[in-house]
Amino acid sequence: MTIAATSPVATVPRRQLPPGRYRLTDLMRSEWTKLRTVRSTMWTLGIMVVVGIGVSALATAETRAHWSTMPPPTRLGFNPVSTSLTPLFFAQLAIGVLGVLVMSAEYGTGTARATFAAAPRRVQVLLAKTAVFGVVALVVSEVTAFLSFFVGQAMLTAPARHATLATPGALRAVVGMGLYLCVISLLALGLGTILRHTAAGISVFVGVLLVLPLIARALPNSIYNSVLRFLPAQIGIVIITNSSRAHSFSVWVGFSVLCCYAVAALVIGGALLVSRDV
Amino acid sequence: MIEARGLTKRYGDKLAVDGLTFDVRPGVVTGFLGPNGAGKSTTMRMVMGLDAPSAGGVTVNGRHYHDLPWPLHEVGALLEAKAIHPGRSARAHLQMLAQANRVPGRRVDELLELVGLTSVAGRRAGKFSLGMGQRLGIAAALLGDPDVLLFDEPVNGLDPDGIRWVRNLLKGLAHEGRTVFVSSHLMSEMALTADEVIIIGRGKLIAQRPVGDLLDQSALGFVRVRSPQMDRLVAALDAAGASVTVEDDGSASVRAMGAAAIGDLAADVHAVLHELSPQSASLEEAYMELTEDSIEYHGGQPVGAPAGGIR
């Protein structure tokens, strides 16, 4: 270090710094403040809850209204659990948008500069976001899944068949759907980190969930049958129908595959976060 | 203290910052000057650890930014106007930054007060004017009471009152012994604020020197002389080795000789002086002169010359 010839007029007394260095918990506190101080959080989560419960109520009410005219085989095959949970496949778009925004908004607004100046160890920032957003997403997803289930079942009055949490497999389907939504939203966070752009992140997210199944369906049957099980949408369907289906993973294997997608997106995002300029 | 050594940033085959070596010392305001696109912002982002140098390096208080245990307590920066989520309030913006580095919560309110944003602290920052955004950015820079401060074009978008406020703030911070590094493309602004300037052009260092020296060393400085005995005086000045230009209005511009020497010479040749006034070049002119030189000097070189030139 070179010491300049002209010395400063005065020197700032060395202030007492906190011991150690900034920790993950500090960044998590910061991320929690970020998440709760923008409107998009309330909007997207609100939409998810309202759409999930609302569409579930509509779908089950519809079934109830036509119950008496339904052919017996349809009645027999009717699954009250999955009917009340299917609407959450629409609701997942809302929480996915929030997942993308948690990172892409930093770049869109320029906040990323301030964020990474405060915490130059960028992977820690991603970990803090994953932890804070992950917990929020899990709580809201489970609440939405349970409410959709209860509201849906309440609509299915006799003579229509309804389920309770005691119905075999029902609890697993409801909890599983909440977990599915949470992991999907973390996949979205990973995409947002990789792409750093809100519109691009949302497009890819929607593409993975809605367009990939359409593309897969256009493939020859043999290929379709072998790729179907890997599609997030198919994994979700297995979770809520709680049945082993042809060309699909079982519930928890499927869920593990889904987790791998989210982890892969977050790991790639983390690696890019370190290697790219902010 | 900021120390850059051979700092280089390459984008593709274009060198945005080309082997910059400089020190920014505590206790003075150091202006960072250069035309738009000279590499000022890129350099500042590298200081802040946001952009990785292609070669060379820069340290803050002897450490790479990445290794600072409490970055906001050591370095504060205003890099970009309105780099704030438009939906977040000013208070929430400062609060989330404070939490990341364990800055006490009361600092947030202190700084909102200092920059005059207390009354709008709860409003969404998207509604802020450029000037208010700039004030919030300054508050964010000062949050951790750091002793190294970087400001990228801090007076942009400010009204005259705001400009004076920033000017005094920067001087005050330097007077407290802090390192203050301020970029601007306006020499006139730096003339009023900076004690020392680092001038870059096309990513290369052109000069680092005290503002005063910049004027003294400029070839544009001269002494204006008027005398009824002009012919005799001019001849004597010529003989003494000064460079004299007789202007249309009858005055003479004398270069390469100081006012005192000219006065002595006038007395020797019995010339009456009606005017003897040193004209220092404006800082703006000195700056233009310097950057022009650099452009002439580099004009023949291919873009993308070898990195790490100036050492």
Side-chain angles (χ1 to χ4, degrees), chain A:
Chain A
M1 183 194 272
T2 52
I3 305 295
T6 29
S7 63
V9 192
T11 44
V12 184
R14 195 69 204 158
R15 285 167 310 283
Q16 197 64 49
L17 293 181
R21 63 184 305 166
Y22 68 93
R23 302 177 72 86
L24 185 62
T25 48
D26 299 315
L27 302 184
M28 284 169 66
R29 214 163 283 131
S30 174
E31 290 302 329
W32 169 239
T33 300
K34 282 186 201 172
L35 198 59
R36 67 181 174 77
T37 53
V38 291
R39 290 182 182 180
S40 49
T41 305
M42 289 320 290
W43 274 110
T44 49
L45 292 179
I47 287 171
M48 175 166 95
V49 176
V50 169
V51 167
I53 296 169
V55 180
S56 175
L58 285 174
T60 46
E62 167 83 1
T63 306
R64 172 64 190 85
H66 296 104
W67 186 264
S68 53
T69 58
M70 272 159 87
T74 313
R75 286 189 205 171
L76 205 63
F78 174 66
N79 181 338
V81 178
S82 65
T83 303
S84 68
L85 293 177
T86 305
L88 295 184
F89 288 115
F90 300 107
Q92 69 182 347
L93 296 179
I95 201 165
V97 167
L98 182 57
V100 170
L101 277 173
V102 163
M103 188 58 95
S104 68
E106 295 257 3
Y107 291 94
T109 62
T111 321
R113 299 256 160 90
T115 295
F116 293 119
R121 290 186 296 175
R122 299 178 198 164
V123 170
Q124 279 212 336
V125 174
L126 181 58
L127 284 176
K129 281 184 188 293
T130 306
V132 171
F133 174 64
V135 168
V136 170
L138 181 63
V139 169
V140 178
S141 297
E142 290 294 354
V143 167
T144 310
F146 273 93
L147 288 177
S148 298
F149 176 79
F150 288 132
V151 169
Q153 301 315 315
M155 293 289 175
L156 293 166
T157 49
R161 220 150 21 84
H162 75 275
T164 66
L165 287 179
T167 306
L171 183 61
R172 186 169 79 170
V174 177
V175 171
M177 189 58 191
L179 288 173
Y180 168 88
L181 289 173
C182 172
V183 174
I184 278 287
S185 67
L186 291 176
L187 171 64
L189 171 60
L191 292 174
T193 308
I194 293 169
L195 296 163
R196 304 200 288 191
H197 193 277
T198 305
I202 292 172
S203 303
V204 172
F205 178 72
V206 171
V208 167
L209 289 180
L210 302 183
V211 183
L212 273 190
L214 297 180
I215 295 173
R217 206 146 297 159
L219 296 170
N221 255 345
S222 57
I223 303 177
Y224 174 66
N225 288 341
S226 56
V227 299
L228 180 66
R229 70 189 68 196
F230 291 100
L231 296 179
Q234 184 65 15
I235 291 169
I237 289 168
V238 173
I239 288 172
I240 61 165
T241 54
N242 213 342
S243 57
S244 46
R245 299 165 84 95
H247 312 301
S248 298
F249 290 121
S250 66
V251 174
W252 295 119
V253 173
F255 181 70
S256 306
V257 170
L258 195 66
C259 288
C260 288
Y261 295 159
V263 169
L266 288 167
V267 167
I268 294 169
L272 290 171
L273 208 52
V274 171
S275 63
R276 284 188 299 210
D277 290 339
V278 175

Side-chain angles (χ1 to χ4, degrees), chain A residues 4 15 30 33 113 117 277, chain B residues 9 25 65 80 96 99 145:
Chain A
R15 285 167 310 283
S30 174
T33 300
R113 299 256 160 90
D277 290 339
Chain B
K9 183 67 180 181
R25 295 178 295 115
Y65 194 92
E80 214 177 319
M96 66 92 172
Q99 285 168 329
D145 198 15

